[in-house]
Amino acid sequence: MKATPLSNCERRFILRAVEERKRLDGRQCYDYRNVRISFGADYGCCIVELGKTRVLAQVSCELVPPKPNRPTEGILFFNLELSPMAAPGFEPGRQTDLLVKLNRLIERCLRNSKCIDTESLCVVAGEKVWQIRLDLHLLNHDGNIIDAASIAGIVALCHFRRPDVSVQGEEVTVYTPEERDPVPLSIHHMPICVSFAFFQQGTYLLVDPSEREERVMDGVLVIAMNKHREICTMQSSGGIMLIKDQVLRCSKITAVKVAEITELIQKALENDQKVRKEGGKFGFAESIPNQKITAFKMESTAVDTNNVEEQAEEIITKADPPSEVFAKPILHTPGTAQIGEGIENSWGDLEESDREEAAEEEDEIEATALECQKMETEDTSTMKETKKDEPIVLSDSEEEEVVILEPQELPKKTRAQTNSKQENTSKKAFNKRRKKKRAAH
């Protein structure tokens, strides 16, 4: 596993918190994270959540020939997989050191502890036995994989039911669940692993380390125990040397935690069996309804539909009378609008800036109109003078008559500053007058 290394600042922060007897998630040193167990629709399928660490367990079985050295015992097979879905540091299809260590620890915890009666899995000695396969898939990694995997494995084995069989001579008949009820496995005890993380060469101790605490710890001690306080297996890894008192202290803590977890497992199995017998809804869809994205956690409330008409009349009488409704829309100023019957739109009135711009435009239009009138009167006067005094020179060519006009004098009274709109209007008026003169001549 190639996990992103912690920075020196994060490492110092976690170690400082451990020295002060504090943890990142607010737990005490010996506190265990919450354990949640949910079962699938089929027997032998479950999901165990240890905090944010989630493990899916699935048990299956088939009839196979036994091993030559154990002809009267069934076969147990365990497989733990770490997929990139759980953490980006995991690589698919690769046997890392962490994966090999976890698989061996699971096998020692469940197979070597003899928690399952393998002789009860024998159908025909030397010919056919049941092979029980336990597949564990890590769905999310937030530390302490081995504890979550051991709990999920033993829960799935306890929940699993194998088909019933009958042997008549050499003929073996396997019955479907509709023909005969499936048979549960014979389990003697429930071994559960509890992990302890050590810091500063065993000076500080934490139970159920999280993923960040695992990166900083110096070593880890895993103890597998059942509720009868029998140690099934024990494994210590890391460069630390533990003394006898530390191991005894950890074993006492393990006994308390295992008793609590075993009681939780038994209650979960009883509740699931009770729901299945009553014919209620079960499975992941029912056991984890609040974790859906579309889940609506608000409880439904009953609505009283009696005396609906009377309640409606009371509401109408108590309500305020409607406001005045206008038959035609009223437009206060240009640029306003009205939508609906008698309802004026909020954006109908112009703002102050818009009003100022409209007033300025009106003033400019009036000024240009006055100037145009002055220009027309002056042009008419100049035209009369030219007709009386100045002669009209005509060209001798036979093509077109050309009228030569002298440039007009500018009016005496003009504005020093004219805007672009006034210039455009004056040019247009001048061009129109010039065309009229050409047509007259």
Side-chain angles (χ1 to χ4, degrees):
M1 175 182 176
K2 297 180 181 178
T4 55
L6 293 176
S7 62
N8 293 330
C9 183
E10 291 177 329
R11 186 179 296 273
R12 288 195 301 269
F13 177 79
I14 297 173
L15 292 175
R16 181 68 178 274
V18 172
E19 293 176 2
E20 296 178 359
R21 301 291 181 177
K22 296 178 181 179
R23 304 186 72 169
L24 301 179
D25 50 7
R27 291 181 292 159
Q28 299 296 327
C29 296
Y30 301 147
D31 288 349
Y32 215 77
R33 286 177 289 182
N34 294 331
V35 180
R36 179 187 175 90
I37 302 172
S38 55
F39 297 97
D42 298 331
Y43 284 108
C45 181
C46 71
I47 290 180
V48 172
E49 301 178 21
L50 180 59
K52 293 183 180 180
T53 301
R54 303 182 67 185
V55 177
L56 170 65
Q58 177 67 58
V59 181
S60 58
C61 65
E62 62 177 342
L63 286 173
V64 296
K67 293 182 179 180
N69 55 346
R70 297 180 182 273
T72 60
E73 292 184 5
I75 301 173
L76 300 177
F77 182 78
F78 304 98
N79 180 38
L80 173 64
E81 293 185 1
L82 306 177
S83 65
M85 178 176 61
F90 296 134
E91 298 180 7
R94 183 180 177 184
Q95 291 287 335
T96 60
D97 295 338
L98 176 63
L99 183 58
V100 173
K101 182 178 71 174
L102 293 174
N103 274 306
R104 289 178 179 175
L105 192 55
I106 289 292
E107 288 183 0
R108 290 205 306 269
C109 178
L110 298 177
R111 179 190 289 131
N112 298 347
S113 63
K114 303 293 182 180
C115 65
I116 300 175
D117 186 7
T118 54
E119 292 183 356
S120 64
L121 301 175
C122 179
V123 178
V124 178
E127 294 184 5
K128 290 185 178 181
V129 296
W130 285 109
Q131 179 183 4
I132 306 298
R133 179 186 177 93
L134 172 63
D135 290 297
L136 299 169
H137 299 269
L138 183 64
L139 302 181
N140 189 37
H141 175 41
D142 191 35
N144 203 2
I145 301 174
I146 186 61
D147 289 15
S150 66
I151 296 172
I154 196 64
V155 169
L157 291 171
C158 293
H159 188 253
F160 178 69
R161 302 288 187 274
R162 64 171 178 83
D164 193 9
V165 296
S166 64
V167 181
Q168 294 180 355
E170 296 181 356
E171 183 180 358
V172 178
T173 305
V174 180
Y175 297 97
T176 61
E178 290 78 13
E179 296 174 347
R180 287 189 183 181
D181 292 335
V183 181
L185 300 179
S186 178
I187 298 177
H188 300 304
H189 58 89
M190 298 182 187
I192 296 171
C193 296
V194 179
S195 299
F196 300 89
F198 293 93
F199 300 85
Q200 296 186 7
Q201 298 299 320
T203 306
Y204 300 100
L205 170 66
L206 295 181
V207 179
D208 183 20
S210 63
E211 192 264 341
R212 287 184 174 272
E213 292 170 348
E214 286 182 348
R215 295 192 193 182
V216 184
M217 66 183 181
D218 296 331
V220 63
L221 174 65
V222 180
I223 300 177
M225 186 183 293
N226 57 21
K227 66 177 182 179
H228 307 294
R229 297 196 174 190
E230 297 173 349
I231 296 178
C232 303
T233 185
M234 183 182 298
Q235 177 176 326
S236 175
S237 59
I240 58 171
M241 297 293 293
L242 299 177
I243 60 176
K244 179 179 65 176
D245 295 338
Q246 289 176 327
V247 176
L248 292 176
R249 182 184 178 186
C250 294
S251 64
K252 291 179 181 178
I253 297 173
T254 302
V256 177
K257 302 299 179 184
V258 167
E260 296 176 356
I261 297 171
T262 303
E263 185 179 358
L264 177 64
I265 293 172
Q266 291 175 350
K267 287 183 179 180
L269 292 170
E270 290 174 1
N271 293 336
D272 180 76
Q273 192 66 23
K274 183 179 178 181
V275 171
R276 290 176 186 270
K277 285 184 178 180
E278 293 176 354
K281 296 182 179 180
F282 53 87
F284 295 141
E286 297 298 328
S287 59
I288 319 177
N290 296 329
Q291 296 185 5
K292 297 178 183 177
I293 298 176
T294 58
F296 190 60
K297 298 182 180 179
M298 198 171 182
E299 297 181 357
S300 59
T301 57
V303 179
D304 187 11
T305 57
N306 298 326
N307 303 325
V308 176
E309 295 181 357
E310 297 178 359
Q311 294 178 3
E313 291 178 357
E314 291 179 0
I315 294 171
I316 293 171
T317 54
K318 293 179 181 179
D320 297 332
S323 59
E324 185 179 359
V325 179
F326 299 94
K328 295 182 179 179
I330 300 173
L331 304 179
H332 301 284
T333 56
T336 63
Q338 187 166 339
I339 301 173
E341 297 180 358
I343 302 174
E344 296 182 3
N345 194 6
S346 60
W347 53 269
D349 297 335
L350 290 173
E351 296 181 357
E352 294 180 359
S353 60
D354 296 337
R355 291 176 182 172
E356 293 176 358
E357 291 178 0
E360 291 177 358
E361 289 178 358
E362 291 177 358
D363 295 339
E364 291 175 358
I365 292 168
E366 291 177 359
T368 53
L370 291 173
E371 288 183 359
C372 290
Q373 291 178 0
K374 290 180 181 179
M375 294 286 290
E376 288 177 357
T377 54
E378 292 174 356
D379 291 339
T380 52
S381 62
T382 53
M383 286 293 292
K384 290 178 181 178
E385 292 176 357
T386 54
K387 286 180 181 178
K388 292 179 180 179
D389 301 334
E390 299 177 357
I392 300 173
V393 181
L394 300 176
S395 64
D396 296 335
S397 64
E398 297 178 357
E399 296 177 355
E400 290 183 357
E401 292 182 357
V402 180
V403 180
I404 301 174
L405 300 176
E406 295 294 333
Q408 298 178 0
E409 295 180 358
L410 294 173
K412 295 179 181 180
K413 296 182 180 180
T414 57
R415 291 188 179 182
Q417 297 178 353
T418 58
N419 54 12
S420 61
K421 292 184 179 179
Q422 295 175 0
E423 292 177 0
N424 292 331
T425 53
S426 61
K427 287 180 181 179
K428 290 180 180 178
F430 180 75
N431 293 330
K432 288 181 180 179
R433 289 193 299 273
R434 190 172 183 179
K435 289 180 182 178
K436 287 179 182 180
K437 291 176 184 177
R438 286 183 180 179
H441 292 297

